Amino acid sequence: MAQLEPANNPEHVTIPLKKSSKVKDFLSLMVKSKSVLIGGIIVLIVILSAIFAPLIATHDPNEMEMSKRLMGPMEEGHLLGTDNYGRDLFSRIVYGARVSLEVGVVSVSVSLLIGVTLGLVAGYYGGWLDNIIMRTVDIVLSFPVLLLAIALVAALGPGIDNVILALGLIYWTNYARIVRANVMALKEEEYIQAAKTIGSSDFRIIFYNILPNCLAPIIVVATLGIGIAIVAEATLSFLGLGIQPPDSSWGWTLSFGMKFIRDAAHLSIYPGLAIMFTVLGFNLLGDGIRDLTDSKTK
C-alpha cells in the first residue's frame, strides 16, 4: 500500500476536484437521450406556438370570409387553407394549441393535487383511511374513462373550465396509487424511523422526507398524463361536449372537418396531425424521463 506523503510537503499538495452537480449530470443525460430530445423539441415547439400565437398566426382565427371558403393549402396566403366559413385553418390550429395545453396542464395539476395528497395520506397512515381512499379509487377505475368524462361534462355543461374539472376528477387515481405504493415502501426506511425517533411531526416527515423521493415517478406520470388529457379534451370537443365555438379547438376543428372530408380533407388532416405530434412529444418526453430515472437503466 502506498504511503501517504506528509500534508505539509508542498510538492505533494493535492487540489480537490470539484464534483459535478447532479442537476447538470441529469441535464446532460437528458440531452443524450434521443427520446427526451425529440419529445422535448416537439413540446417546446407547441409551447412556443401557444405563447406567441398572435405573432405566428397569419390571420384572425375567428375572421370569416365567405368568398374564401374551403380553400386548399397555400391558396391566397392561407398556408393550410380555410374552412367553410373562410377562416384561416393555420391560425385556428395555432390558437388551438393554447386550449390543448391549458386543458392538459391545468387538469393534470388538479389531478396531482388530489391524487398526491390522498396517496400520501393513504400510504403513510394506512388503516381505515387507506381503505376508504383505495376503495374510492377502485370505484372510479371501475367506470370506462371516456364514458365517465362524457357523463361529468354533460352534467356540468360544455366549456373549458368544466372539461378541466371533469378530467381532473377522473385521472387523480393514477397518482394516488403510485404515490401510495412509494410511501408504503419509503416509510419503513431507517431515515424515516430516525425522524420519528427525534420527534419530527408527520407533516414534516411526509412533505420533507417522503414526498421528495416520490417526485421521479410523479413527474413521469404527469408528463404522460398531459398527452392523455389533450386526447380526452379533443375527444370531448369532437363529440360537441368540450370547447365551444367560436373558440378554436383541435377536436372541434377535426369534428367540423369530417363534414367536408371528401371535398376538403385538409380540414381534418391538419388538426389530427397537430393532436398526434403533440401527444407524441409528451409521450416521448415522459418515456425518456422514465428511462433516466429508472435505476435499472442508468
Side-chain angles (χ1 to χ4, degrees), residues 183-208:
V183 172
M184 292 180 68
L186 290 170
K187 71 178 184 179
E188 303 300 331
E189 295 290 336
E190 293 182 357
Y191 70 94
I192 299 298
Q193 300 301 322
K196 292 181 179 178
T197 302
I198 63 176
S200 296
S201 64
D202 290 344
F203 180 87
R204 182 174 182 82
I205 292 174
I206 292 173
F207 290 98
Y208 287 86

PDB file of all heavy atoms in Angstrom, residues 183-208:
ATOM      1  N   VAL A 183     -44.909   5.518  -0.894  1.00  0.00           N
ATOM      2  CA  VAL A 183     -44.907   5.904   0.522  1.00  0.00           C
ATOM      3  C   VAL A 183     -44.833   4.671   1.415  1.00  0.00           C
ATOM      4  O   VAL A 183     -44.100   4.647   2.417  1.00  0.00           O
ATOM      5  CB  VAL A 183     -46.144   6.755   0.856  1.00  0.00           C
ATOM      6  CG1 VAL A 183     -46.245   6.988   2.366  1.00  0.00           C
ATOM      7  CG2 VAL A 183     -46.077   8.092   0.137  1.00  0.00           C
ATOM      8  N   MET A 184     -45.573   3.627   1.065  1.00  0.00           N
ATOM      9  CA  MET A 184     -45.564   2.408   1.873  1.00  0.00           C
ATOM     10  C   MET A 184     -44.182   1.774   1.924  1.00  0.00           C
ATOM     11  O   MET A 184     -43.797   1.172   2.929  1.00  0.00           O
ATOM     12  CB  MET A 184     -46.590   1.413   1.325  1.00  0.00           C
ATOM     13  CG  MET A 184     -48.033   1.860   1.502  1.00  0.00           C
ATOM     14  SD  MET A 184     -49.230   0.673   0.857  1.00  0.00           S
ATOM     15  CE  MET A 184     -48.993  -0.687   2.022  1.00  0.00           C
ATOM     16  N   ALA A 185     -43.420   1.914   0.848  1.00  0.00           N
ATOM     17  CA  ALA A 185     -42.055   1.383   0.838  1.00  0.00           C
ATOM     18  C   ALA A 185     -41.089   2.300   1.583  1.00  0.00           C
ATOM     19  O   ALA A 185     -40.211   1.838   2.316  1.00  0.00           O
ATOM     20  CB  ALA A 185     -41.591   1.179  -0.602  1.00  0.00           C
ATOM     21  N   LEU A 186     -41.267   3.612   1.415  1.00  0.00           N
ATOM     22  CA  LEU A 186     -40.323   4.565   1.993  1.00  0.00           C
ATOM     23  C   LEU A 186     -40.486   4.718   3.505  1.00  0.00           C
ATOM     24  O   LEU A 186     -39.496   4.963   4.210  1.00  0.00           O
ATOM     25  CB  LEU A 186     -40.491   5.929   1.327  1.00  0.00           C
ATOM     26  CG  LEU A 186     -40.026   6.041  -0.124  1.00  0.00           C
ATOM     27  CD1 LEU A 186     -40.467   7.369  -0.724  1.00  0.00           C
ATOM     28  CD2 LEU A 186     -38.515   5.889  -0.229  1.00  0.00           C
ATOM     29  N   LYS A 187     -41.704   4.580   4.012  1.00  0.00           N
ATOM     30  CA  LYS A 187     -41.913   4.844   5.440  1.00  0.00           C
ATOM     31  C   LYS A 187     -41.249   3.813   6.341  1.00  0.00           C
ATOM     32  O   LYS A 187     -41.143   4.028   7.545  1.00  0.00           O
ATOM     33  CB  LYS A 187     -43.404   4.929   5.752  1.00  0.00           C
ATOM     34  CG  LYS A 187     -44.162   3.619   5.691  1.00  0.00           C
ATOM     35  CD  LYS A 187     -45.621   3.828   6.066  1.00  0.00           C
ATOM     36  CE  LYS A 187     -46.393   2.519   6.104  1.00  0.00           C
ATOM     37  NZ  LYS A 187     -47.806   2.715   6.500  1.00  0.00           N
ATOM     38  N   GLU A 188     -40.802   2.697   5.768  1.00  0.00           N
ATOM     39  CA  GLU A 188     -40.087   1.687   6.541  1.00  0.00           C
ATOM     40  C   GLU A 188     -38.582   1.888   6.517  1.00  0.00           C
ATOM     41  O   GLU A 188     -37.847   1.144   7.162  1.00  0.00           O
ATOM     42  CB  GLU A 188     -40.416   0.290   5.998  1.00  0.00           C
ATOM     43  CG  GLU A 188     -41.899  -0.046   5.998  1.00  0.00           C
ATOM     44  CD  GLU A 188     -42.497  -0.008   7.390  1.00  0.00           C
ATOM     45  OE1 GLU A 188     -41.766  -0.271   8.362  1.00  0.00           O
ATOM     46  OE2 GLU A 188     -43.712   0.291   7.502  1.00  0.00           O
ATOM     47  N   GLU A 189     -38.121   2.879   5.777  1.00  0.00           N
ATOM     48  CA  GLU A 189     -36.681   3.133   5.698  1.00  0.00           C
ATOM     49  C   GLU A 189     -36.157   3.666   7.035  1.00  0.00           C
ATOM     50  O   GLU A 189     -36.894   4.253   7.836  1.00  0.00           O
ATOM     51  CB  GLU A 189     -36.391   4.145   4.588  1.00  0.00           C
ATOM     52  CG  GLU A 189     -36.719   3.659   3.197  1.00  0.00           C
ATOM     53  CD  GLU A 189     -35.768   2.581   2.721  1.00  0.00           C
ATOM     54  OE1 GLU A 189     -34.634   2.522   3.239  1.00  0.00           O
ATOM     55  OE2 GLU A 189     -36.151   1.799   1.832  1.00  0.00           O
ATOM     56  N   GLU A 190     -34.862   3.457   7.256  1.00  0.00           N
ATOM     57  CA  GLU A 190     -34.249   3.818   8.541  1.00  0.00           C
ATOM     58  C   GLU A 190     -34.293   5.320   8.801  1.00  0.00           C
ATOM     59  O   GLU A 190     -34.478   5.752   9.939  1.00  0.00           O
ATOM     60  CB  GLU A 190     -32.807   3.318   8.579  1.00  0.00           C
ATOM     61  CG  GLU A 190     -32.681   1.793   8.595  1.00  0.00           C
ATOM     62  CD  GLU A 190     -31.240   1.336   8.687  1.00  0.00           C
ATOM     63  OE1 GLU A 190     -30.346   2.216   8.672  1.00  0.00           O
ATOM     64  OE2 GLU A 190     -30.996   0.114   8.760  1.00  0.00           O
ATOM     65  N   TYR A 191     -34.104   6.121   7.749  1.00  0.00           N
ATOM     66  CA  TYR A 191     -34.087   7.574   7.983  1.00  0.00           C
ATOM     67  C   TYR A 191     -35.461   8.089   8.387  1.00  0.00           C
ATOM     68  O   TYR A 191     -35.568   9.087   9.097  1.00  0.00           O
ATOM     69  CB  TYR A 191     -33.545   8.312   6.758  1.00  0.00           C
ATOM     70  CG  TYR A 191     -34.444   8.300   5.553  1.00  0.00           C
ATOM     71  CD1 TYR A 191     -35.341   9.338   5.313  1.00  0.00           C
ATOM     72  CD2 TYR A 191     -34.375   7.263   4.614  1.00  0.00           C
ATOM     73  CE1 TYR A 191     -36.146   9.341   4.201  1.00  0.00           C
ATOM     74  CE2 TYR A 191     -35.180   7.260   3.492  1.00  0.00           C
ATOM     75  CZ  TYR A 191     -36.059   8.296   3.292  1.00  0.00           C
ATOM     76  OH  TYR A 191     -36.854   8.296   2.176  1.00  0.00           O
ATOM     77  N   ILE A 192     -36.532   7.411   7.948  1.00  0.00           N
ATOM     78  CA  ILE A 192     -37.875   7.806   8.376  1.00  0.00           C
ATOM     79  C   ILE A 192     -38.087   7.427   9.841  1.00  0.00           C
ATOM     80  O   ILE A 192     -38.646   8.206  10.627  1.00  0.00           O
ATOM     81  CB  ILE A 192     -38.942   7.147   7.488  1.00  0.00           C
ATOM     82  CG1 ILE A 192     -38.769   7.581   6.026  1.00  0.00           C
ATOM     83  CG2 ILE A 192     -40.337   7.506   7.984  1.00  0.00           C
ATOM     84  CD1 ILE A 192     -38.937   9.066   5.799  1.00  0.00           C
ATOM     85  N   GLN A 193     -37.623   6.239  10.205  1.00  0.00           N
ATOM     86  CA  GLN A 193     -37.732   5.819  11.599  1.00  0.00           C
ATOM     87  C   GLN A 193     -36.916   6.731  12.511  1.00  0.00           C
ATOM     88  O   GLN A 193     -37.320   7.046  13.641  1.00  0.00           O
ATOM     89  CB  GLN A 193     -37.256   4.368  11.744  1.00  0.00           C
ATOM     90  CG  GLN A 193     -38.044   3.368  10.909  1.00  0.00           C
ATOM     91  CD  GLN A 193     -39.523   3.370  11.240  1.00  0.00           C
ATOM     92  OE1 GLN A 193     -39.906   3.503  12.408  1.00  0.00           O
ATOM     93  NE2 GLN A 193     -40.367   3.236  10.221  1.00  0.00           N
ATOM     94  N   ALA A 194     -35.756   7.169  12.014  1.00  0.00           N
ATOM     95  CA  ALA A 194     -34.929   8.089  12.793  1.00  0.00           C
ATOM     96  C   ALA A 194     -35.625   9.429  12.973  1.00  0.00           C
ATOM     97  O   ALA A 194     -35.566  10.041  14.046  1.00  0.00           O
ATOM     98  CB  ALA A 194     -33.577   8.280  12.102  1.00  0.00           C
ATOM     99  N   ALA A 195     -36.305   9.898  11.917  1.00  0.00           N
ATOM    100  CA  ALA A 195     -37.029  11.165  12.012  1.00  0.00           C
ATOM    101  C   ALA A 195     -38.158  11.069  13.035  1.00  0.00           C
ATOM    102  O   ALA A 195     -38.414  12.017  13.791  1.00  0.00           O
ATOM    103  CB  ALA A 195     -37.581  11.548  10.642  1.00  0.00           C
ATOM    104  N   LYS A 196     -38.823   9.931  13.079  1.00  0.00           N
ATOM    105  CA  LYS A 196     -39.873   9.733  14.079  1.00  0.00           C
ATOM    106  C   LYS A 196     -39.290   9.713  15.486  1.00  0.00           C
ATOM    107  O   LYS A 196     -39.879  10.237  16.435  1.00  0.00           O
ATOM    108  CB  LYS A 196     -40.625   8.432  13.806  1.00  0.00           C
ATOM    109  CG  LYS A 196     -41.466   8.436  12.539  1.00  0.00           C
ATOM    110  CD  LYS A 196     -42.182   7.100  12.372  1.00  0.00           C
ATOM    111  CE  LYS A 196     -43.049   7.091  11.133  1.00  0.00           C
ATOM    112  NZ  LYS A 196     -43.728   5.783  10.933  1.00  0.00           N
ATOM    113  N   THR A 197     -38.105   9.111  15.624  1.00  0.00           N
ATOM    114  CA  THR A 197     -37.474   8.986  16.937  1.00  0.00           C
ATOM    115  C   THR A 197     -37.124  10.347  17.522  1.00  0.00           C
ATOM    116  O   THR A 197     -37.268  10.575  18.740  1.00  0.00           O
ATOM    117  CB  THR A 197     -36.206   8.124  16.836  1.00  0.00           C
ATOM    118  OG1 THR A 197     -36.562   6.838  16.306  1.00  0.00           O
ATOM    119  CG2 THR A 197     -35.549   7.952  18.190  1.00  0.00           C
ATOM    120  N   ILE A 198     -36.660  11.268  16.679  1.00  0.00           N
ATOM    121  CA  ILE A 198     -36.257  12.581  17.186  1.00  0.00           C
ATOM    122  C   ILE A 198     -37.460  13.525  17.329  1.00  0.00           C
ATOM    123  O   ILE A 198     -37.281  14.704  17.664  1.00  0.00           O
ATOM    124  CB  ILE A 198     -35.195  13.225  16.276  1.00  0.00           C
ATOM    125  CG1 ILE A 198     -35.764  13.472  14.869  1.00  0.00           C
ATOM    126  CG2 ILE A 198     -33.948  12.351  16.210  1.00  0.00           C
ATOM    127  CD1 ILE A 198     -34.785  14.212  13.948  1.00  0.00           C
ATOM    128  N   GLY A 199     -38.670  13.019  17.045  1.00  0.00           N
ATOM    129  CA  GLY A 199     -39.874  13.799  17.288  1.00  0.00           C
ATOM    130  C   GLY A 199     -40.351  14.660  16.147  1.00  0.00           C
ATOM    131  O   GLY A 199     -41.116  15.607  16.374  1.00  0.00           O
ATOM    132  N   SER A 200     -39.923  14.368  14.912  1.00  0.00           N
ATOM    133  CA  SER A 200     -40.409  15.140  13.762  1.00  0.00           C
ATOM    134  C   SER A 200     -41.910  14.923  13.581  1.00  0.00           C
ATOM    135  O   SER A 200     -42.421  13.816  13.780  1.00  0.00           O
ATOM    136  CB  SER A 200     -39.666  14.713  12.485  1.00  0.00           C
ATOM    137  OG  SER A 200     -38.285  15.020  12.583  1.00  0.00           O
ATOM    138  N   SER A 201     -42.604  15.959  13.205  1.00  0.00           N
ATOM    139  CA  SER A 201     -44.053  15.858  13.000  1.00  0.00           C
ATOM    140  C   SER A 201     -44.362  15.056  11.743  1.00  0.00           C
ATOM    141  O   SER A 201     -43.516  14.916  10.846  1.00  0.00           O
ATOM    142  CB  SER A 201     -44.664  17.253  12.879  1.00  0.00           C
ATOM    143  OG  SER A 201     -44.173  17.920  11.719  1.00  0.00           O
ATOM    144  N   ASP A 202     -45.584  14.535  11.676  1.00  0.00           N
ATOM    145  CA  ASP A 202     -45.994  13.780  10.493  1.00  0.00           C
ATOM    146  C   ASP A 202     -45.943  14.656   9.242  1.00  0.00           C
ATOM    147  O   ASP A 202     -45.557  14.185   8.163  1.00  0.00           O
ATOM    148  CB  ASP A 202     -47.413  13.233  10.682  1.00  0.00           C
ATOM    149  CG  ASP A 202     -47.465  12.127  11.722  1.00  0.00           C
ATOM    150  OD1 ASP A 202     -46.388  11.591  12.065  1.00  0.00           O
ATOM    151  OD2 ASP A 202     -48.578  11.819  12.190  1.00  0.00           O
ATOM    152  N   PHE A 203     -46.331  15.917   9.377  1.00  0.00           N
ATOM    153  CA  PHE A 203     -46.314  16.837   8.237  1.00  0.00           C
ATOM    154  C   PHE A 203     -44.899  16.970   7.677  1.00  0.00           C
ATOM    155  O   PHE A 203     -44.693  16.894   6.467  1.00  0.00           O
ATOM    156  CB  PHE A 203     -46.836  18.204   8.665  1.00  0.00           C
ATOM    157  CG  PHE A 203     -46.857  19.224   7.549  1.00  0.00           C
ATOM    158  CD1 PHE A 203     -47.961  19.318   6.715  1.00  0.00           C
ATOM    159  CD2 PHE A 203     -45.778  20.077   7.349  1.00  0.00           C
ATOM    160  CE1 PHE A 203     -47.983  20.256   5.689  1.00  0.00           C
ATOM    161  CE2 PHE A 203     -45.793  21.004   6.319  1.00  0.00           C
ATOM    162  CZ  PHE A 203     -46.910  21.098   5.487  1.00  0.00           C
ATOM    163  N   ARG A 204     -43.922  17.152   8.572  1.00  0.00           N
ATOM    164  CA  ARG A 204     -42.545  17.306   8.118  1.00  0.00           C
ATOM    165  C   ARG A 204     -42.017  16.018   7.486  1.00  0.00           C
ATOM    166  O   ARG A 204     -41.326  16.047   6.469  1.00  0.00           O
ATOM    167  CB  ARG A 204     -41.653  17.720   9.287  1.00  0.00           C
ATOM    168  CG  ARG A 204     -40.199  17.953   8.870  1.00  0.00           C
ATOM    169  CD  ARG A 204     -39.352  18.510   9.993  1.00  0.00           C
ATOM    170  NE  ARG A 204     -38.007  18.767   9.542  1.00  0.00           N
ATOM    171  CZ  ARG A 204     -37.622  19.857   8.889  1.00  0.00           C
ATOM    172  NH1 ARG A 204     -38.506  20.806   8.633  1.00  0.00           N
ATOM    173  NH2 ARG A 204     -36.369  20.015   8.493  1.00  0.00           N
ATOM    174  N   ILE A 205     -42.342  14.890   8.095  1.00  0.00           N
ATOM    175  CA  ILE A 205     -41.861  13.617   7.550  1.00  0.00           C
ATOM    176  C   ILE A 205     -42.456  13.372   6.163  1.00  0.00           C
ATOM    177  O   ILE A 205     -41.752  12.966   5.229  1.00  0.00           O
ATOM    178  CB  ILE A 205     -42.233  12.462   8.499  1.00  0.00           C
ATOM    179  CG1 ILE A 205     -41.441  12.582   9.801  1.00  0.00           C
ATOM    180  CG2 ILE A 205     -41.953  11.113   7.843  1.00  0.00           C
ATOM    181  CD1 ILE A 205     -41.848  11.571  10.857  1.00  0.00           C
ATOM    182  N   ILE A 206     -43.755  13.653   6.010  1.00  0.00           N
ATOM    183  CA  ILE A 206     -44.428  13.379   4.735  1.00  0.00           C
ATOM    184  C   ILE A 206     -43.933  14.298   3.630  1.00  0.00           C
ATOM    185  O   ILE A 206     -43.609  13.844   2.531  1.00  0.00           O
ATOM    186  CB  ILE A 206     -45.954  13.512   4.902  1.00  0.00           C
ATOM    187  CG1 ILE A 206     -46.487  12.387   5.788  1.00  0.00           C
ATOM    188  CG2 ILE A 206     -46.648  13.487   3.548  1.00  0.00           C
ATOM    189  CD1 ILE A 206     -47.957  12.529   6.138  1.00  0.00           C
ATOM    190  N   PHE A 207     -43.853  15.598   3.919  1.00  0.00           N
ATOM    191  CA  PHE A 207     -43.574  16.563   2.865  1.00  0.00           C
ATOM    192  C   PHE A 207     -42.089  16.904   2.710  1.00  0.00           C
ATOM    193  O   PHE A 207     -41.702  17.418   1.659  1.00  0.00           O
ATOM    194  CB  PHE A 207     -44.378  17.848   3.097  1.00  0.00           C
ATOM    195  CG  PHE A 207     -45.847  17.670   2.865  1.00  0.00           C
ATOM    196  CD1 PHE A 207     -46.717  17.441   3.926  1.00  0.00           C
ATOM    197  CD2 PHE A 207     -46.364  17.700   1.584  1.00  0.00           C
ATOM    198  CE1 PHE A 207     -48.074  17.267   3.711  1.00  0.00           C
ATOM    199  CE2 PHE A 207     -47.726  17.537   1.361  1.00  0.00           C
ATOM    200  CZ  PHE A 207     -48.579  17.318   2.430  1.00  0.00           C
ATOM    201  N   TYR A 208     -41.280  16.609   3.717  1.00  0.00           N
ATOM    202  CA  TYR A 208     -39.861  16.931   3.617  1.00  0.00           C
ATOM    203  C   TYR A 208     -38.980  15.692   3.448  1.00  0.00           C
ATOM    204  O   TYR A 208     -37.875  15.792   2.901  1.00  0.00           O
ATOM    205  CB  TYR A 208     -39.394  17.710   4.848  1.00  0.00           C
ATOM    206  CG  TYR A 208     -39.871  19.138   4.894  1.00  0.00           C
ATOM    207  CD1 TYR A 208     -41.118  19.463   5.435  1.00  0.00           C
ATOM    208  CD2 TYR A 208     -39.092  20.172   4.378  1.00  0.00           C
ATOM    209  CE1 TYR A 208     -41.572  20.770   5.459  1.00  0.00           C
ATOM    210  CE2 TYR A 208     -39.536  21.480   4.409  1.00  0.00           C
ATOM    211  CZ  TYR A 208     -40.772  21.777   4.948  1.00  0.00           C
ATOM    212  OH  TYR A 208     -41.223  23.075   4.973  1.00  0.00           O
TER     213      TYR A 208
END
